[in-house]
Amino acid sequence: MARGTGQGEHIDPAMALPHLLRMLSETDDADTLTMLWAVHALQNDRSASAEKHLNLPPQANTSSMDSPFAVLSWDFETLIPLMLNMPKAVSPPWLRQPMNVRAFNTVANLINLLRAADEHDSGDRVTVEIVLKEMHRIAHRTFAW
């Protein structure tokens, strides 16, 4: 899982998707997209550009995919359409809790919630009989066709 500087936060898999959707609905899309772009820039050796938009822990400044701070490209490809298709909150601004889009930990929390929700959903969906179909679905997320 992606790791921020905070350690040990437990994620309830059953509540991961509702929590993720609430976070996305209460935060401006442009701000969220800028935050995700900054992480992508960081992982593509453009840390000077990323530091303008995101407060980064020094150990996150790596392009290594086996780093505990790495965000996989298919996580971006899943999160961005989900964010763009998410209706924005209609509650009054003083009731909303937008994400801190300047914090690297926010990205780690989003990715961890996304992965927990995916694992929770696949637990209901994947059985011995349809495991090959699940591998096909994951392959389409993993490889650029």
Side-chain angles (χ1 to χ4, degrees), residues 4-116:
T5 55
Q7 300 293 320
E9 181 181 336
H10 175 71
I11 296 175
D12 179 11
M15 294 305 297
L17 185 60
H19 187 62
L20 174 65
L21 296 177
R22 184 185 54 78
M23 289 174 72
L24 293 174
S25 74
E26 293 182 349
T27 307
D28 182 60
D29 284 349
D31 293 340
T32 306
L33 198 55
T34 301
M35 175 181 66
L36 296 174
W37 173 86
V39 173
H40 185 267
L42 176 71
Q43 293 186 348
N44 286 290
D45 296 323
R46 297 188 326 254
S47 61
S49 298
E51 289 172 348
K52 295 175 187 174
H53 302 283
L54 198 60
N55 299 325
L56 304 165
Q59 57 272 44
N61 192 358
T62 178
S63 59
S64 172
M65 292 311 291
D66 30 336
S67 165
F69 295 91
V71 178
L72 304 173
S73 60
W74 55 86
D75 289 333
F76 288 123
E77 293 168 2
T78 304
L79 195 56
I80 291 172
L82 184 63
M83 173 198 63
L84 293 174
N85 289 310
M86 186 72 220
K88 294 300 146 199
V90 293
S91 60
W94 61 86
L95 292 178
R96 295 182 201 150
Q97 296 178 334
M99 299 180 282
N100 179 0
V101 294
R102 300 266 314 154
F104 184 82
N105 282 342
T106 303
V107 178
N109 289 340
L110 279 177
I111 298 302
N112 290 337
L113 286 167
L114 177 67
R115 292 177 185 173

Side-chain angles (χ1 to χ4, degrees), residues 111-133:
I111 298 302
N112 290 337
L113 286 167
L114 177 67
R115 292 177 185 173
D118 192 39
E119 288 175 16
H120 178 70
D121 288 346
S122 67
D124 296 337
R125 185 176 55 236
V126 179
T127 63
V128 174
E129 294 83 23
I130 63 167
V131 71
L132 291 178
K133 287 183 182 177

